[in-house]
């Protein structure tokens, strides 16, 4: 039996939801950093920088120290990339969740509650892409507390979004997730989502070899809203 329940967002969930979202995004920063370091051009760049620093300084230890400084600076850059995304979300749709998702048409926001605490969240809204508006809805802001992962919470939240979109007669649900969120990709693919596009969110994202995957799930047997 599930030890949680899915319900619609309430105003008293505000702080818990914003905190859960921020933690969920920031915990992916180390994975993004590791991904960058594994890229061929990053490794080549570090090697070239080390050789140049070694030649200029004349000491191996100074070359290694210079590389260490570059690695530290890169980590701060990756971390700032994540924190800027969190700040942007908290100052836009997650600043007034009720207005963004409960008063807006074809939008909703759910939380997973366990033991009186919010342990998961997900939202749905019309997509930003004009080509998808009127055809699909977008799954957004999915996050589940570490302590409740592996218990079916994410699957249940995803199911709420799919049912919501199907009941309103939409053809599909779309979403975007980052390349380092491997568990999320497996979840979505297990629910019928297929990857339909890849893009970099910004110039900084391109420099960090960071990509966003765009997914789509077609909804067979959708029913028109009453």
């Amino acid at each position: 039996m599930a030890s949680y329940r899915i319900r619609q967002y309430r105003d008293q969930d505000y702080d818990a939801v914003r905190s859960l979202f921020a933690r969920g995004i920031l915990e992916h920063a180390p994975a993004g950093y590791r991904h960058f370091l594994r890229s061929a051009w990053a490794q080549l760049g570090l090697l070239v920088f080390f050789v140049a620093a070694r030649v200029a300084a004349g000491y191996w230890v100074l070359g290694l120290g210079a590389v260490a400084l570059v690695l530290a600076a890169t980590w701060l850059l990756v971390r700032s990339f994540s924190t800027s995304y969190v700040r942007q979300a908290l100052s836009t749709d997650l600043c007034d969740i009720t207005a963004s998702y409960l008063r807006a048409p074809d939008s909703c926001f759910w939380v997973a509650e366990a033991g009186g605490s919010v342990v998961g969240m997900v939202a749905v809204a019309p997509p930003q892409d004009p080509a998808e508006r009127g055809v699909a809805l977008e799954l957004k802001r999915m996050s589940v507390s570490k302590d409740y992962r592996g218990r079916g919470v994410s699957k249940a939240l995803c199911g709420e979004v799919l049912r919501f979109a199907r009941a309103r007669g939409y053809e599909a649900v779309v979403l975007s997730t980052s390349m380092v969120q491997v568990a999320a990709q497996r979840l979505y693919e297990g629910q019928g989502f297929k990857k339909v596009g890849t893009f970099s969110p910004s110039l900084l994202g391109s420099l960090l070899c960071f990509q966003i995957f765009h997914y789509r799930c077609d909804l067979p047997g959708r029913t028109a809203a009453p």
Side-chain angles (χ1 to χ4, degrees):
M1 181 179 294
S3 57
Y4 60 87
R5 68 185 182 107
I6 308 296
R7 60 169 175 79
Q8 190 169 290
Y9 169 87
R10 301 170 185 161
D11 288 341
Q12 56 264 41
D13 302 323
Y14 183 76
D15 290 335
V17 160
R18 285 164 57 90
S19 177
L20 178 63
F21 172 77
R23 290 196 308 271
I25 294 298
L26 294 178
E27 74 179 32
H28 294 297
Y33 182 60
R34 290 191 297 269
H35 173 80
F36 170 75
L37 294 181
R38 286 195 295 265
S39 67
W41 83 266
Q43 294 176 6
L44 178 61
L46 288 172
L47 177 60
V48 170
F49 186 80
F50 168 74
V51 172
R54 162 70 177 83
V55 171
Y59 295 98
W60 288 99
V61 66
L62 292 179
L64 291 173
V67 170
L69 288 176
V70 171
L71 291 173
T74 302
W75 163 247
L76 293 176
L77 196 62
V78 171
R79 177 77 177 184
S80 70
F81 183 75
S82 297
T83 55
S84 65
Y85 177 73
V86 169
R87 284 195 299 269
Q88 187 270 339
L90 295 182
S91 65
T92 53
D93 60 299
L94 294 183
C95 181
D96 190 340
I97 299 169
T98 298
S100 298
Y101 295 105
L102 300 185
R103 294 179 189 154
D106 289 338
S107 301
C108 198
F109 199 107
W110 297 271
V111 300
E113 182 183 54
S117 299
V118 172
V119 299
M121 56 183 273
V122 74
V124 65
Q128 293 185 349
D129 186 349
E132 294 175 333
R133 282 183 171 263
V135 176
L137 289 180
E138 183 177 4
L139 183 153
K140 304 177 66 176
R141 307 312 188 201
M142 170 80 83
S143 187
V144 174
S145 172
K146 278 186 176 181
D147 295 337
Y148 279 82
R149 291 173 192 167
R151 302 190 189 188
V153 179
S154 296
K155 184 177 179 180
L157 290 167
C158 186
E160 289 290 340
V161 172
L162 296 175
R163 283 190 290 273
F164 182 90
R166 185 180 293 111
R168 281 156 180 76
Y170 282 89
E171 296 179 9
V173 172
V174 296
L175 63 88
S176 296
T177 190
S178 75
M179 53 184 290
V180 298
Q181 293 174 270
V182 178
Q185 294 167 34
R186 291 173 181 160
L187 164 73
Y188 298 136
E189 290 166 4
Q191 295 302 299
F193 285 85
K194 298 184 185 305
K195 190 190 300 181
V196 293
T198 302
F199 64 94
S200 182
S202 64
L203 176 59
L204 177 57
S206 297
L207 293 174
L208 294 174
C209 303
F210 188 86
Q211 292 182 319
I212 299 295
F213 296 155
H214 191 61
Y215 280 86
R216 177 186 174 99
C217 178
D218 293 318
L219 300 173
R222 63 187 188 278
T223 57

